[in-house]
Amino acid sequence: LLYSRDFYEEIKKHLQEGGILQEWFPGGEARILRGLVRSLKDSFPYVRLYKGLHGPGFHCLASMQPLEEPSLEEFISRLPPGAREDLLEWENPPDLRRVAAKIFSLPVSLEGFPMNRDTIYISDDHPLNEYYILRRILARWRGKYIIAK
């Protein structure tokens, strides 16, 4: 189950030394995002979160080793050609330095992240992100649907 502790435990078995898990949360319920972050933080000692480059969603980075943020120059120099193309695909004009600078300007502090000990985590036994359509319909009907922003 994506975003679950169980999934992250499997991922850790395949990460090389210094490896980084990158995951995209396209947006949706705030409690699913909180569950995803709780599951990541329970599974990895180092986690970073960034808002989506073009608005909705979040990019998650997690590792067993400290996540050092590279300088803008280092980030650009390390990007493979395919990643550069992907980053610039929807940009007009295609300015890699501007896009890279925007990425670095979108971190989300996990210290101020709305989460506590009671925040549910996601696991195969607690599939918070499953059956979301029914849950969203009921939440909207009750006026309690909260979107992650």
Side-chain angles (χ1 to χ4, degrees):
L1 182 63
L2 196 59
Y3 309 142
S4 71
R5 286 178 172 176
D6 309 88
F7 176 70
Y8 299 140
E9 290 307 312
E10 281 300 311
I11 291 294
K12 288 194 300 190
K13 294 176 188 176
H14 300 280
L15 280 179
Q16 296 179 6
E17 179 83 16
I20 299 172
L21 164 73
Q22 189 281 329
E23 190 166 52
W24 166 247
F25 177 71
E29 295 171 62
R31 70 186 214 152
I32 293 175
L33 178 61
R34 286 192 303 271
L36 177 158
V37 172
R38 163 94 191 266
S39 298
L40 271 175
K41 288 181 76 170
D42 287 353
S43 302
F44 291 91
Y46 302 97
V47 176
R48 287 197 181 181
L49 193 65
Y50 292 86
K51 287 190 174 188
L53 183 59
H54 295 288
F58 295 86
H59 295 280
C60 310
L61 301 176
S63 182
M64 298 304 291
Q65 287 80 35
L67 291 164
E68 301 295 329
E69 189 167 292
S71 69
L72 188 59
E73 295 302 323
E74 184 181 7
F75 176 80
I76 290 171
S77 71
R78 294 170 99 188
L79 274 176
R84 287 175 185 234
E85 289 175 26
D86 287 347
L87 273 177
L88 297 176
E89 181 177 10
W90 298 101
E91 298 298 321
N92 191 11
D95 181 346
L96 185 58
R97 179 171 302 289
R98 183 181 54 76
V99 172
K102 185 172 180 183
I103 290 169
F104 285 112
S105 73
L106 299 170
V108 175
S109 170
L110 293 180
E111 290 183 20
F113 201 77
M115 182 170 44
N116 58 39
R117 285 177 11 112
D118 298 328
T119 299
I120 192 165
Y121 58 87
I122 300 171
S123 73
D124 289 348
D125 294 334
H126 299 280
L128 175 64
N129 55 328
E130 293 288 314
Y131 312 110
Y132 63 89
I133 291 175
L134 180 59
R135 201 173 51 254
R136 287 178 187 175
I137 290 170
L138 290 173
R140 282 189 177 129
W141 182 66
R142 294 179 183 143
K144 297 182 179 182
Y145 184 65
I146 301 172
I147 297 290
K149 295 183 181 185

